[in-house]
């Protein structure tokens, strides 16, 4: 197909044509926008053209080979425009082919704005169309213009955009660093320390070249594994400021992150003092040589250290850009000093240097120095402990992660390259110094070997010098004795001193920047509420000036104390603890197998990370065992503190992921094991509705399920499915949060159904998981059954039948005041709303007192109107009117007291268990569990069972024997022998009056009329039914008399629930039984198990 200027050019839609391409035209003329006013099509979301060519009016995606067509199209000089008369879904018009896929539908194509967090600094968050919006039928009266749709698709015109744009403007002046200046330079400067210049030669002298190289490689292995773990975590999502704290807290959660973050920030602050003191000591040594001491060595160190910290603080506070420039200058000096050393090794040695042990590269010296020669008190691990701090500092770049342009790229690249370069430098210096300098030298140029003298076999002896007297008396030179070997070997000694200055100052500067940054991130997360003051940042870069001052004060304090030798091992262990947790974070995230663990940096292994964590812990004890113990104690204390405080954060940590995996594995493992009676526990579905509306019902259930069984608060939404589902989904999180807030160990579940019974039936069948399925249904007694519609009674009794059909036990709870406090909650919400409106009105009046001349009283009404304050009376709905017509205070008092009665500790008393029918033992097990709870422990069990009058003692002994075998403690056993006698006339009369409105009385009518009444009112109680179950009715009335006689003063009554045989007992008669059975009694639990054993006396 050739491309020309024809308007029908896009009608060719042959799929096999390889030159076909898609063009998306963005209209900018007034015609399209005007026509769009009448357009009722759905809004158009983002195009699939991912090119970012905003300056072009055409966005064209073409396949390879279509460039010529593309050029011809642009050269035609015409742009296609959308005709408003064409329908968006019309595929037979020119316009259809000018719209890229995704432009003519409510569905949105993938774009990054949908995945940003709210308040993201990298751009505004855009909300994609909800599933409801694209699933429900589109309202015909809603007109959406293409221009507005495009604005939404591109993230324009949505709430909060103005703030997002302002945030972007604020970011304009922010200084961000690349991977070289931000990470590589900082890590190299922090790793290279004083150890390189004044201790590495001694380490080679003690351990030899072979073990010295091993020590360096072992230290590097620890830091390299940590670097790999850091890289993996840093590339698993966007990294904000906070460095090690951020990485650990977002991986392992606030408990680990909060504990290590605090000690890591403190370690960096004290490290400033350590490095500054190292610098000050070098300066004082120079002052000694020139005899220019100010006071004495200790006070001179304090003076020079204090001045240095003030200068470093000034550089840091001046801004990250100045600090970065200072770091680059210091790195250049350091590199020159290192190069100066290597150059010095090839410059021919003079007699003075030879007398001090330097002979240039000699194979004999290399061979002699290859093996170890530990002095008294030294060994491999002691030497390793001295060197290892020289390998740390790998987190210097990660600690300023918030100031990096691309932390995900910069941290892995800069950190790993810095470890490699510094390791090569350490190895090079160690090998070179070991091949050039002997271990002991006298420094006396006259200690040469005269011809004819016997050589002692040492390398120096072979090179013409006799240092044998160093075996008997201490010498001042050589690897073992002189810490200034590098200065002696170098081409120009003062450059090594400059290198020492550079190493100490750069490390101090890096720590002075790292500590406030990490501390600020910790404070922003509000894990330690007392430290919130330090979260505030200043300027474009959000500089933690308060943190700088705090770090400065800590550093000054330790400089003035000048006892850093004691604190140094603890600080090293603090850093190692951070390394260990970073490695463990990487292992933990991998082990949890969370789909969200997708690090872009793939060069890591979970088991290597675990090995690195163990290695770090081992090194902590190698360096100093008591410092390691102190570190663990502090970290454990902080961990417990944060765990106790439970900060309200959710970072999707690997701890959560592993908890899920563990729960899933355990649930699956449970399914492989058959249930055993010894492990039975009540697992309850509680029909509370919203858990806050029936708290007493939930409390009594929670009393016997807490820490032992499953408890699911269930709610059934009845009505139009669309409205029910919307209401249900909107309240799920809120109601589960209420349970958590009130420390109730229960789940919330809800279903939408056409009727209440169908919803409960669904819950009974589908709730739970594997073996963790409900086995007991707990419902409140339907107190208003005599006034309720017939369908409600049928549903209520029907769910009891359904539970028995599914072999699920039933518990019905009755208290005098009832359970539902929803009306009280409505009143409270209304009063809270009125109070808020009153406060808002007072604030408005106060604001307008100063503006009377500009707006007068009209301004007040204007603002009040905006606040919807037109009336101060509550809304005139039925429920509020009902409450207002009563004495609200008295009503609330009674209902609230009843709703909280099971929250309180129960007074000393009894739980009376009327175990009339053997249901497998559930009637006995529930009260026994209650007596184990703290709130019910003062209540003793009294057991009531039915029996024969002439066998009361025998049956009492038999029941006591059974209870003792069950190992259930009881206070007393009562055998009731007169259950089956008729109740007194007054009680029976009350029952008859109760059922009178629901009786059919068909026996008093002719057969035709009776049959007609049965058909019209099948729910009524027939005379035949009443006569058939007369003995059972007698029993219920008689039981109430006995309960009144024996258990009126009990704290709680647990009673066997009578079972209504399906098809034989009408719903109303069954409700009358329950009513007369539990009338005028303390709280009652009617219990019926599923007739399977829940108790056993076998081991």
């Amino acid at each position: 197909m050739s491309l020309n200027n024809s308007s029908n050019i896009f009608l060719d839609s042959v799929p096999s044509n390889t030159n076909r391409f898609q063009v998306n035209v963005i209209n900018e003329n007034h015609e399209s926008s005007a026509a769009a006013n009448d357009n009722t099509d759905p809004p158009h979301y983002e195009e699939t053209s991912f090119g970012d060519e905003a300056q072009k009016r055409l966005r064209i995606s073409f396949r390879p080979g279509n460039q010529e067509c593309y050029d011809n199209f642009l050269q035609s000089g015409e742009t296609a425009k959308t005709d408003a008369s064409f329908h968006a879904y019309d595929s037979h018009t020119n316009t259809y082919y000018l719209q890229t896929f995704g432009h003519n539908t409510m569905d949105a194509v993938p774009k990054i704005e949908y995945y940003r967090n709210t308040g993201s600094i990298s751009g505004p968050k855009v909300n994609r169309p909800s599933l409801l919006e694209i699933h429900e039928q589109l309202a015909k009266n809603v007109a959406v213009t293409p221009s507005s749709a495009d604005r939404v698709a591109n993230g324009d015109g949505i709430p909060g955009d103005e703030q997002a744009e302002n945030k972007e403007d604020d970011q304009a002046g922010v200084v961000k660093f690349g991977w070289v200046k931000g990470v590589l330079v900082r890590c190299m400067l922090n790793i290279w320390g004083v150890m390189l210049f004044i201790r590495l030669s001694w380490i080679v002298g003690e351990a030899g070249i072979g073990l010295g190289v091993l020590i360096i490689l072992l230290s590097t292995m620890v830091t390299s594994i940590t670097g790999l773990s850091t890289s993996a975590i840093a590339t698993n999502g966007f990294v904000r400021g906070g460095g090690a704290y951020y990485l650990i807290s977002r991986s392992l959660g606030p408990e680990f992150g909060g504990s290590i973050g605090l000690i890591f920030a403190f370690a960096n602050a004290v490290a400033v003092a350590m490095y500054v003191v190292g610098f000050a000591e070098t300066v004082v040594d120079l002052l000694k040589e020139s005899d220019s001491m100010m006071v004495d060595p200790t006070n001179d160190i304090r003076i020079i250290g204090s001045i240095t910290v003030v200068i470093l603080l000034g550089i840091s506070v001046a801004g990250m850009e100045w600090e970065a420039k200072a770091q680059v200058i210091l790195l250049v000096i350091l590199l020159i000093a290192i190069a100066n050393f290597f150059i010095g090794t090839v410059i021919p040695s003079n007699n003075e240097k030879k007398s001090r042990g330097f002979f240039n590269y000699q194979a004999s010296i290399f061979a002699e120095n290859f093996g170890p020669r530990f002095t008294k008190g030294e060994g491999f691990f002691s030497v390793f402990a001295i060197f290892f701090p020289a390998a740390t500092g790998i987190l210097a770049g990660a600690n300023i992660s918030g100031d990096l342009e691309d932390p995900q790229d910069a941290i892995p690249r800069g950190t790993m390259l810095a470890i490699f370069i510094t390791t090569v430098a350490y190895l090079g210096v160690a090998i070179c110094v070991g091949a050039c300098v002997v271990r002991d030298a006298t420094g006396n140029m006259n200690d040469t070997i005269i011809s004819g003298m016997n050589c002692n076999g040492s390398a120096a002896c072979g090179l013409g010098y006799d240092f044998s007297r160093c075996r008997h008396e201490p010498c001042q030179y050589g690897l073992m004795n002189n810490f200034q070997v590098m200065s002696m070997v170098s081409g120009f000694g003062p450059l090594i001193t400059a290198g020492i200055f550079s190493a100490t100052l750069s490390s101090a500067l890096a720590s002075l920047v790292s500590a406030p940054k990490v501390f600020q991130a910790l404070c922003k997360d509000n894990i330690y509420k007392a430290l919130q003051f330090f979260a505030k940042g200043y300027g474009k870069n959000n500089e933690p000036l308060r943190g700088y001052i705090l770090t400065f004060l800590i550093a000054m304090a330790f400089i003035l104390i000048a006892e850093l030798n004691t604190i140094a091992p603890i600080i090293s262990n603090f850093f190692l603890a951070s390394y260990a947790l970073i490695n463990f974070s990487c292992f933990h995230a991998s082990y949890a197998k969370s789909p969200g663990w997708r690090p872009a940096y793939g060069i890591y292994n979970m088991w290597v990370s675990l090995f690195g964590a163990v290695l770090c812990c081992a090194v902590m004890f190698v360096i100093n065992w008591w410092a390691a113990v102190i570190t663990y104690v502090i970290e454990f204390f902080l961990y417990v503190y944060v765990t106790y405080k439970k900060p309200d954060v959710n970072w999707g940590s690997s701890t959560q992921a592993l908890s899920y995996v563990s729960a899933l594995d355990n649930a699956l493992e449970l399914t492989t094991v058959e249930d055993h009676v010894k492990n039975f526990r009540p697992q309850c579905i509680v029909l509370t509705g919203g858990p806050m509306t029936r708290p007493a019902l939930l409390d009594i259930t929670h009393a016997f399920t807490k820490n032992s069984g499953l408890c699911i608060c269930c709610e059934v939404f009845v009505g139009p499915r669309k409205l029910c589902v919307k209401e249900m989904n909107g309240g799920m999180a809120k109601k589960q949060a209420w349970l958590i807030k009130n420390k109730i160990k229960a789940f919330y579940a809800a279903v939408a159904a056409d009727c209440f019974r169908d919803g409960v039936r669904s819950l009974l069948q589908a709730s739970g998981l594997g073996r963790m399925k409900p086995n007991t249904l707990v419902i409140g007694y339907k107190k208003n059954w005599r006034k309720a519609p017939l369908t409600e009674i049928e549903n209520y009794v029907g769910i009891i039948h359904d539970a028995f059909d599914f072999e699920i036990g039933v518990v019905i709870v009755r208290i005098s005041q009832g359970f539902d406090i929803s009306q009280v909650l409505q009143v409270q919400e209304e009063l809270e709303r009125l109070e808020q409106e009153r406060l808002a009105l007072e604030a408005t009046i106060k604001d307008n007192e100063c503006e009377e001349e500009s707006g007068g009283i009209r301004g007040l009404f204007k603002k009040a109107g905006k606040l919807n304050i037109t009336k101060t009376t509550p809304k005139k709905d039925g429920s509020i009117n009902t409450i207002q017509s009563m004495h609200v205070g008295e009503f609330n008092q009674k209902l609230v007291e009843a709703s909280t009665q099971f929250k309180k500790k129960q007074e000393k008393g009894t739980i009376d268990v009327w175990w009339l029918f053997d249901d497998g033992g559930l009637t006995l097990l529930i009260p026994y569990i209650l007596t184990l709870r703290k709130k019910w422990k003062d209540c003793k069990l009294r057991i009531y069972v039915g029996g024969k009058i002439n066998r009361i003692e025998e049956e009492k002994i038999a029941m006591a024997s059974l209870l003792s075998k069950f190992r259930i403690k009881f206070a007393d056993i009562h055998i009731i022998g007169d259950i089956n006698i008729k109740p007194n006339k007054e009680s029976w009369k009350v029952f008859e009056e109760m059922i009178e409105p629901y009786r059919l009385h068909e026996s008093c009518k002719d057969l035709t009329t009776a049959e007609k009444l049965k058909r019209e009112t099948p729910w009524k109680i027939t005379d035949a039914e009443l006569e058939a179950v007369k003995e059972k009715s007698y029993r219920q009335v008689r039981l109430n008399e006995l309960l009144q006689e024996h258990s009126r003063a009990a704290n709680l009554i647990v009673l066997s629930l009578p079972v209504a045989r399906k098809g034989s007992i009408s719903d109303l008669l069954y409700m009358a039984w329950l009513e007369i059975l539990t009338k005028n009694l303390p709280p009652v639990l009617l219990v019926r198990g599923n007739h399977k054993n829940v108790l056993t006396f076998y081991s």
Side-chain angles (χ1 to χ4, degrees):
M1 181 184 76
S2 60
L3 188 66
N4 53 38
N5 295 337
S6 170
S7 61
N8 296 323
I9 191 64
F10 296 105
L11 292 178
D12 188 352
S13 59
V14 180
S16 61
N17 194 328
T18 58
N19 288 332
R20 179 177 177 181
F21 62 93
Q22 294 177 321
V23 182
N24 179 26
V25 179
I26 300 177
N27 298 300
E28 296 175 349
N29 55 32
H30 65 280
E31 296 175 8
S32 62
S33 60
N37 293 331
D38 298 325
N39 191 351
T40 60
D41 292 341
H44 298 178
Y45 280 76
E46 179 65 297
E47 306 85 7
T48 56
S49 176
F50 292 98
D52 195 20
E53 302 173 16
Q55 75 279 10
K56 297 183 180 180
R57 301 178 69 246
L58 293 174
R59 293 187 182 180
I60 304 175
S61 59
F62 53 87
R63 297 176 181 175
N66 290 347
Q67 180 68 45
E68 183 180 354
C69 298
Y70 171 71
D71 294 337
N72 291 338
F73 182 82
L74 290 182
Q75 290 169 5
S76 67
E78 295 181 11
T79 57
K81 61 183 179 181
T82 303
D83 189 346
S85 63
F86 291 135
H87 194 276
Y89 300 109
D90 183 6
S91 62
H92 300 287
T93 63
N94 302 15
T95 312
Y96 179 81
Y97 295 102
L98 292 178
Q99 291 182 335
T100 309
F101 169 75
H103 192 73
N104 56 348
T105 174
M106 191 86 176
D107 256 338
V109 299
K111 58 188 297 185
I112 191 172
E113 285 80 2
Y114 297 137
Y115 297 91
R116 288 195 176 107
N117 286 336
T118 304
S120 172
I121 62 173
S122 57
K125 174 180 172 57
V126 178
N127 293 323
R128 69 176 62 82
S130 68
L131 189 60
L132 188 66
E133 289 173 341
I134 63 174
H135 183 233
E136 292 293 334
Q137 186 175 2
L138 192 66
K140 293 183 179 180
N141 60 343
V142 177
V144 182
T145 65
S147 58
S148 64
D150 289 338
R151 288 176 64 231
V152 175
N154 291 293
D156 301 328
I158 61 172
D161 269 0
E162 189 174 344
Q163 292 97 330
E165 290 173 4
N166 291 337
K167 284 185 180 179
E168 289 178 348
D169 293 339
D170 291 342
Q171 294 295 318
V174 174
V175 178
K176 295 290 184 180
F177 302 112
W179 71 275
V180 174
K181 188 183 288 188
V183 181
L184 180 64
V185 171
R186 293 174 185 279
C187 287
M188 289 172 62
L189 284 170
N190 228 25
I191 295 172
W192 280 330
V194 183
M195 199 70 66
L196 174 66
F197 297 103
I198 63 176
R199 285 291 187 275
L200 188 56
S201 58
W202 177 85
I203 288 168
V204 173
E206 289 281 347
I209 297 173
L211 289 183
V213 169
L214 183 62
I215 287 172
I216 294 171
L217 293 178
L218 184 59
S219 302
T220 302
M221 182 171 67
V222 175
T223 57
S224 297
I225 294 173
T226 307
L228 292 174
S229 300
T230 303
S231 301
I233 299 172
T235 57
N236 189 53
F238 183 77
V239 179
R240 298 182 186 273
Y245 159 72
Y246 185 88
L247 298 179
I248 294 171
S249 63
R250 269 50 176 186
S251 295
L252 291 179
E255 295 83 7
F256 282 104
S259 58
I260 202 65
L262 196 60
I263 65 174
F264 185 72
F266 177 76
N268 273 283
V270 178
V272 175
M274 290 176 58
Y275 295 128
V276 168
V277 168
F279 167 78
E281 285 179 349
T282 307
V283 175
V284 169
D285 288 341
L286 293 176
L287 292 176
K288 283 181 181 178
E289 292 177 6
S290 61
D291 196 20
S292 303
M293 298 291 294
M294 290 179 285
V295 186
D296 57 69
T298 302
N299 285 314
D300 282 6
I301 289 173
R302 290 171 177 166
I303 294 169
I304 295 170
S306 301
I307 295 171
T308 305
V309 170
V310 172
I311 294 172
L312 294 178
L313 178 66
I315 295 173
S316 301
V317 172
M320 289 296 294
E321 195 169 5
W322 284 96
E323 186 266 350
K325 290 177 181 178
Q327 292 280 28
V328 172
I329 295 172
L330 293 173
L331 178 63
V332 170
I333 297 172
L334 194 57
L335 291 174
I336 292 173
I338 295 173
N340 177 49
F341 164 76
F342 286 111
I343 292 171
T345 59
V346 297
I347 296 175
S349 178
N350 54 34
N351 291 334
E352 183 183 1
K353 290 185 177 181
K354 286 180 180 180
S355 67
R356 295 182 179 183
F358 173 52
F359 295 93
N360 296 109
Y361 293 104
Q362 301 292 336
S364 59
I365 296 177
F366 181 88
E368 183 180 75
N369 290 342
F370 190 82
R373 200 179 88 186
F374 294 112
T375 55
K376 186 177 181 181
E378 300 294 347
F380 176 82
F381 289 109
S382 64
V383 174
F384 172 80
I386 291 172
F387 173 78
F388 183 79
T392 59
I394 61 171
L395 297 179
N399 287 339
I400 63 160
S401 53
D403 296 295
L404 300 176
E405 287 180 359
D406 185 4
Q408 290 180 290
D409 175 68
I411 292 175
R413 188 187 298 187
T415 303
M416 298 311 298
L417 186 57
I419 292 173
F420 175 76
I421 293 174
T422 53
T423 302
V424 170
Y426 277 132
L427 290 173
V429 171
I431 294 172
C432 290
V433 78
C436 296
V437 184
V438 296
R439 282 191 167 102
D440 294 304
T442 60
N444 188 348
M445 289 186 287
N446 295 323
D447 286 342
T448 55
I449 295 177
I450 304 171
S451 58
M453 288 181 62
N454 291 328
C455 185
N456 61 6
S458 67
C461 185
L463 294 171
Y465 280 82
D466 180 17
F467 300 141
S468 57
R469 64 188 175 95
C470 291
R471 297 179 181 178
H472 311 292
E473 60 183 61
C475 294
Q476 296 183 354
Y477 297 98
L479 296 177
M480 305 282 282
N481 312 301
N482 183 15
F483 291 154
Q484 302 298 327
V485 167
M486 285 191 69
S487 296
M488 177 191 68
V489 173
S490 64
F492 184 61
L495 280 179
I496 298 298
T497 304
I500 295 173
F501 288 171
S502 174
T504 52
L505 292 177
S506 61
S507 298
L509 193 56
S511 297
L512 185 57
V513 171
S514 297
K517 295 282 185 182
V518 173
F519 194 59
Q520 182 187 34
L522 176 67
C523 297
K524 276 185 176 179
D525 289 334
N526 204 21
I527 292 178
Y528 302 101
K529 296 187 182 299
L531 303 178
Q532 182 67 20
F533 173 78
F534 296 98
K536 183 175 176 57
Y538 297 88
K540 294 285 186 181
N541 271 62
N542 197 33
E543 294 290 347
L545 297 185
R546 295 174 178 177
Y548 280 130
I549 299 300
L550 180 63
T551 304
F552 168 76
L553 294 175
I554 293 173
M556 282 292 291
F558 280 96
I559 288 171
L560 296 176
I561 292 172
E563 290 292 336
L564 294 179
N565 289 337
T566 304
I567 201 74
I570 300 177
I571 301 307
S572 296
N573 276 324
F574 280 1
F575 286 122
L576 274 168
S578 304
Y579 294 173
L581 277 181
I582 287 176
N583 284 310
F584 185 73
S585 298
C586 185
F587 162 77
H588 202 266
S590 303
Y591 185 74
K593 299 185 178 83
S594 172
W597 174 249
R598 301 184 302 275
Y601 190 84
I603 310 174
Y604 75 97
N605 180 275
M606 59 183 284
W607 299 111
V608 173
S609 295
L610 179 62
F611 173 71
V614 174
L615 200 59
C616 288
C617 294
V619 171
M620 290 173 67
F621 282 95
V622 167
I623 290 177
N624 193 300
W625 69 268
W626 59 263
V629 171
I630 291 175
T631 302
Y632 284 125
V633 168
I634 294 174
E635 188 174 340
F636 177 75
F637 172 77
L638 292 173
Y639 178 88
V640 171
Y641 174 81
V642 176
T643 304
Y644 174 76
K645 287 296 183 180
K646 291 183 180 178
D648 186 19
V649 294
N650 183 9
W651 294 323
S653 66
S654 60
T655 305
Q656 295 173 343
L658 193 61
S659 297
Y660 174 84
V661 172
S662 300
L664 184 61
D665 290 342
N666 291 335
L668 290 170
E669 189 176 349
L670 276 175
T671 61
T672 63
V673 182
E674 290 294 326
D675 289 330
H676 195 280
V677 62
K678 287 196 297 184
N679 293 323
F680 177 87
R681 60 201 64 219
Q683 303 193 108
C684 301
I685 277 186
V686 196
L687 297 185
T688 58
M692 63 283 292
T693 58
R694 291 175 177 83
L697 181 61
L698 180 56
D699 289 338
I700 188 63
T701 308
H702 189 241
F704 59 81
T705 61
K706 181 181 179 182
N707 296 329
S708 63
L710 179 70
C711 181
I712 307 176
C713 302
C714 295
E715 185 171 10
V716 179
F717 290 86
V718 180
R721 181 169 294 272
K722 182 178 178 181
L723 296 176
C724 287
V725 169
K726 184 176 181 181
E727 183 182 359
M728 179 179 71
N729 292 340
M732 282 277 194
K734 178 183 176 183
K735 289 167 184 175
Q736 184 64 53
W738 185 89
L739 291 172
I740 295 171
K741 181 181 177 182
N742 288 272
K743 298 180 180 180
I744 296 174
K745 296 183 178 181
F747 300 96
Y748 172 77
V751 293
D754 294 330
C755 73
F756 182 72
R757 185 178 180 183
D758 287 345
V760 176
R761 190 183 289 127
S762 299
L763 290 166
L764 291 173
Q765 294 179 87
S767 295
L769 186 68
R771 297 289 181 199
M772 294 187 295
K773 290 184 71 68
N775 53 33
T776 308
L777 171 68
V778 182
I779 56 177
Y781 177 70
K782 192 169 184 61
K783 187 180 178 183
N784 66 337
W785 65 274
R786 280 181 278 189
K787 297 179 182 178
L790 181 63
T791 54
E792 289 187 12
I793 300 173
E794 290 176 349
N795 283 334
Y796 184 82
V797 178
I799 64 174
I800 299 175
H801 288 308
D802 292 336
F804 291 147
D805 288 342
F806 298 136
E807 295 188 339
I808 292 176
V810 175
V811 177
I812 301 176
V813 188
R814 180 174 185 179
I815 59 176
S816 58
Q817 293 293 329
F819 293 104
D820 191 357
I821 62 167
S822 55
Q823 289 184 335
V824 176
L825 296 177
Q826 285 181 359
V827 171
Q828 290 176 348
E829 289 176 2
E830 186 69 15
L831 293 175
E832 287 176 4
R833 186 185 67 82
L834 292 173
E835 179 64 16
Q836 290 175 356
E837 289 184 351
R838 185 186 66 79
L839 294 174
L841 183 60
E842 288 180 357
T844 305
I845 294 172
K846 191 176 292 185
D847 290 341
N848 280 271
E849 285 178 354
C850 302
E851 301 177 4
E852 290 183 359
E853 68 283 355
S854 58
I857 199 66
R858 286 177 295 178
L860 172 61
F861 286 111
K862 194 173 183 180
K863 288 194 176 182
K866 289 181 182 178
L867 293 168
N868 289 325
I869 305 174
T870 54
K871 293 183 180 180
T872 57
T873 56
K875 295 180 181 178
K876 299 290 183 180
D877 56 65
S879 61
I880 298 298
N881 279 338
T882 303
I883 300 298
Q884 286 179 337
S885 64
M886 302 174 63
H887 298 290
V888 176
E890 182 182 348
F891 177 84
N892 283 356
Q893 187 65 23
K894 289 182 179 180
L895 206 52
V896 169
E897 284 180 2
S899 69
T900 59
Q901 61 180 307
F902 298 125
K903 291 183 184 293
K904 304 171 185 175
K905 182 172 173 54
Q906 302 299 308
E907 296 179 358
K908 191 173 183 178
T910 62
I911 298 177
D912 288 359
V913 183
W914 290 70
W915 194 16
L916 304 177
F917 306 105
D918 195 331
D919 58 352
L922 186 64
T923 308
L924 188 60
L925 181 61
I926 287 177
Y928 167 72
I929 295 174
L930 284 175
T931 60
L932 302 178
R933 306 305 186 198
K934 188 181 296 185
K935 293 175 182 176
W936 293 87
K937 69 177 182 179
D938 293 334
C939 297
K940 306 300 181 183
L941 292 183
R942 290 195 304 185
I943 311 299
Y944 293 83
V945 293
K948 297 179 180 178
I949 295 178
N950 58 351
R951 287 180 53 84
I952 288 180
E953 288 302 322
E954 291 88 340
E955 293 188 3
K956 187 173 184 179
I957 293 171
M959 179 55 61
S961 175
L962 178 62
L963 292 175
S964 64
K965 287 183 178 180
F966 285 148
R967 301 171 304 282
I968 293 178
K969 296 179 180 180
F970 57 90
D972 201 359
I973 297 176
H974 297 270
I975 306 299
I976 308 299
D978 54 351
I979 293 178
N980 288 326
I981 66 173
K982 288 184 180 181
N984 61 51
K985 293 182 180 180
E986 290 78 8
S987 300
W988 182 250
K989 184 178 180 181
V990 171
F991 178 74
E992 286 185 324
E993 290 175 353
M994 184 187 302
I995 62 174
E996 180 61 31
Y998 314 111
R999 292 187 60 180
L1000 190 64
H1001 291 295
E1002 78 280 7
S1003 58
C1004 302
K1005 300 177 178 61
D1006 60 86
L1007 186 61
T1008 305
T1009 305
E1011 290 298 326
K1012 182 181 178 182
L1013 288 173
K1014 285 182 181 180
R1015 287 194 303 271
E1016 292 176 351
T1017 55
W1019 45 271
K1020 284 198 171 184
I1021 304 170
T1022 64
D1023 293 340
E1025 176 192 0
L1026 196 59
E1027 186 62 30
V1029 295
K1030 195 168 188 177
E1031 292 298 324
K1032 290 186 177 180
S1033 299
Y1034 280 157
R1035 186 189 305 149
Q1036 314 311 324
V1037 180
R1038 175 59 184 157
L1039 278 173
N1040 182 260
E1041 291 178 350
L1042 293 170
L1043 287 164
Q1044 297 283 353
E1045 179 184 347
H1046 295 280
S1047 299
R1048 188 65 186 267
N1051 295 57
L1052 181 69
I1053 298 173
V1054 181
L1055 175 64
S1056 293
L1057 172 69
V1059 177
R1061 191 177 295 276
K1062 288 194 294 185
S1064 300
I1065 309 297
S1066 62
D1067 296 339
L1068 288 167
L1069 179 59
Y1070 185 62
M1071 292 303 300
W1073 282 1
L1074 299 183
E1075 175 70 25
I1076 197 65
L1077 183 61
T1078 59
K1079 189 178 179 66
N1080 298 328
L1081 289 172
V1084 178
L1085 267 64
L1086 294 165
V1087 181
R1088 175 68 68 155
N1090 61 1
H1091 285 239
K1092 294 181 180 179
N1093 287 349
V1094 301
L1095 294 172
T1096 183
F1097 43 77
Y1098 295 107
S1099 58

